[in-house]
């Protein structure tokens, strides 16, 4: 963490010397902003209709609650996984910079997108006892230097006054999921997570946090572990949905 604090100090010093610029197009922006108005306007908000369980948007008009085909044919262990934005274009680029190019300061922007998910009525009406980030495998975390879900969960914890606890650990170094189809992802993730020693989630209402929701397989697998250990409910929020 020390390295981040240093880099943040550096960042603060830099922003005094140079005016703030848009993360994407480098146009000047107001202090404290990460995107210019033009880039902001390109961000895609997820609007109804979408799957009640995994938030997959649906093209067409449906006015009643529904589950998408993917959720109807598999066991989902979370109550609902919510994202307010599509993880495409600018949103994808910003999250990529944050995660892979160590642009740690972008966690504030990504954190805003995550907070927007909490306005969704599936989460808005819930109370949570703890916030739990989706863990990275220790080897991956060493390689990246941080876990993006940790940073987002900590911010949300401060904002929502709900304690953040790293209760899960990733015990399998899974290969990247991107090239796998849905059933391969499920197989790849099976038994990838475990509850940390002495973690007690009995009777707790959990809010699980990750940066991006893709198929929901990772969140579902984490939810399965938490529920098997006695969690009352597991909802999930992410900054974006692929
Ligand atoms: Zn811009
Ligand atoms: Zn679904």
């Amino acid at each position: 963490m020390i390295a981040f604090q240093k880099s943040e100090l550096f960042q603060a010093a830099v922003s005094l010397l140079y005016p703030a610029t848009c993360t994407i197009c480098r146009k000047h922006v107001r202090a404290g902003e990460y995107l210019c108005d033009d880039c902001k306007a390109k961000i895609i908000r997820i609007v109804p209709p979408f799957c009640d369980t995994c938030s997959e948007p649906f093209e067409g008009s449906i006015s009643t609650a529904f589950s998408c085909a993917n959720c109807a044919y598999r066991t989902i262990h979370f109550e609902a996984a919510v994202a307010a934005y599509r993880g495409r274009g600018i949103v994808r680029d910003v999250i990529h910079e944050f995660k892979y190019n160590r642009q740690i300061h972008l966690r504030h922007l990504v954190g805003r997108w995550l907070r927007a998910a909490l306005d969704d009525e599936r989460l808005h009406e819930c109370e949570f006892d703890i916030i739990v980030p989706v863990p990275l495998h220790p080897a991956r975390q060493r390689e990246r230097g941080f876990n993006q879900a940790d940073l987002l969960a900590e911010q949300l914890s401060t904002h929502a006054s709900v304690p953040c606890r790293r209760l899960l650990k990733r015990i399998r170094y899974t290969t990247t999921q991107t090239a796998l189809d849905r059933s391969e992802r499920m197989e790849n993730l099976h038994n990838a997570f475990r509850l940390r020693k002495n973690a007690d989630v009995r009777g707790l209402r959990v809010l699980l946090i990750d940066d991006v929701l893709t198929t929901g397989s990772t969140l579902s697998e984490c939810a399965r572990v938490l529920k098997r250990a006695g969690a009352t409910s597991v909802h999930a929020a992410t900054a974006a949905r692929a």
Side-chain angles (χ1 to χ4, degrees), residues 51 53-56 67-68 70-71 74 241:
C51 170
T53 308
C54 76
S55 306
E56 168 82 357
S67 272
C68 72
N70 292 319
C71 288
R74 59 179 177 162
R241 195 194 197 297

Side-chain angles (χ1 to χ4, degrees), residues 72-120:
Y73 295 107
R74 59 179 177 162
T75 310
I76 301 283
H77 298 278
F78 50 73
E79 328 307 315
V82 179
Y85 295 99
R86 277 334 290 257
R88 295 176 178 172
I90 284 168
V91 171
R92 187 191 51 220
D93 294 346
V94 167
I95 292 175
H96 192 278
E97 282 293 297
F98 167 47
K99 267 164 83 168
Y100 302 112
N101 286 337
R102 291 179 171 249
Q103 299 297 307
I104 310 294
H105 67 283
L106 290 176
R107 72 179 185 277
H108 299 294
L109 175 57
V110 180
R112 278 182 210 167
W113 295 336
L114 173 65
R115 283 209 295 281
L118 296 196
D119 294 334
D120 185 285

Side-chain angles (χ1 to χ4, degrees), residues 22-27 34-43 90:
C22 173
T23 307
I24 300 295
C25 72
R26 303 291 160 202
K27 220 183 278 172
Y34 296 89
L35 294 174
C36 71
D37 291 343
D38 292 339
C39 288
K40 257 189 220 164
K42 291 181 196 150
I43 289 177
I90 284 168

